Amino acid sequence: MRFVLLSLLVINTLFLSHAVHAGADAQQVFGLSEYVYIEELGVRYKAKVDTGAESASINAINAKVEKGHGKKDDLVHFDLVLPDNTLKSVTLPLSKHIRIKRRASDYDENEKDYSRRPVLELTLCIGGQSHKVDVNLADRRQFSKPMLVGSDPLTAFRALVDPSKKYLQDKSLCAKKADPEEHDE
């Protein structure tokens, strides 16, 4: 009888341990497009999910870096292009700069084959999960989506991507964090 009880206890412990571990390793499945709420900006965008891109970028124009006293004190002033195409002036701390390779059709032979973009550390919320990630500023007005989510943020979210689907994550799970007058596309 003791052996049976001990065996049941061991099996139960192993089962619960496996269940907890499996929950910690659970991955979200994102579609080719998802709603992304940016906490620091109070804005929700429709975003293209692109595993071929590394970083995330948001639709912003007129970015200017103001040098501070130390490297950590640099600020970026920019106009955020909201989902309704109005502009919102924003100033946030600069995280770093990155180089983005340009498409061959976007530059002449005598121009650089990359563009240098300012990067901000922002908190993205997708499907109720929030993670701080690097987001670069880019003029995305000519693209179908004002935001792009690449492989680095997808890794932070432990996301798998199903390119045959769109909007698999519930945007309302980030709504409690949203301002009542948030812009939503």
Side-chain angles (χ1 to χ4, degrees), residues 100-107 113 142-143:
I100 302 290
K101 188 150 179 73
R102 296 168 58 188
R103 293 184 299 208
S105 62
D106 289 347
Y107 63 94
D113 64 347
Q142 73 278 14
F143 294 105

Side-chain angles (χ1 to χ4, degrees), residues 13-147:
T13 303
L14 289 173
F15 177 75
L16 286 176
S17 173
H18 177 70
V20 168
H21 182 67
D25 286 344
Q27 293 181 300
Q28 290 182 293
V29 179
F30 288 3
L32 200 54
S33 298
E34 289 295 342
Y35 287 99
V36 178
Y37 180 71
I38 305 172
E39 294 183 9
E40 291 84 354
L41 301 174
V43 178
R44 183 185 348 257
Y45 286 115
K46 286 182 178 178
K48 176 182 179 180
V49 175
D50 185 352
T51 60
E54 284 183 33
S55 56
S57 66
I58 56 171
N59 198 3
I61 58 173
N62 305 321
K64 298 201 180 355
V65 176
E66 177 187 330
K67 292 288 185 187
H69 298 294
K71 184 179 179 183
K72 299 254 184 214
D73 298 328
D74 293 350
L75 295 174
V76 183
H77 305 282
F78 61 97
D79 291 322
L80 182 67
V81 182
L82 298 171
D84 63 3
N85 287 321
T86 59
L87 300 178
K88 176 182 176 182
S89 292
V90 177
T91 300
L92 289 171
L94 175 71
S95 175
K96 63 183 178 182
H97 279 95
I98 61 168
R99 288 183 178 189
I100 302 290
K101 188 150 179 73
R102 296 168 58 188
R103 293 184 299 208
S105 62
D106 289 347
Y107 63 94
D108 292 328
E109 190 177 298
N110 58 345
E111 291 182 304
K112 294 179 184 175
D113 64 347
Y114 65 89
S115 62
R116 188 170 185 251
R117 295 184 190 167
V119 176
L120 310 171
E121 188 177 53
L122 298 175
T123 308
L124 307 185
C125 182
I126 305 172
Q129 272 194 47
S130 293
H131 292 281
K132 270 201 178 289
V133 300
D134 286 340
V135 178
N136 68 70
L137 304 178
D139 184 351
R140 295 190 51 82
R141 292 178 291 180
Q142 73 278 14
F143 294 105
S144 62
K145 302 281 187 297
M147 182 167 191

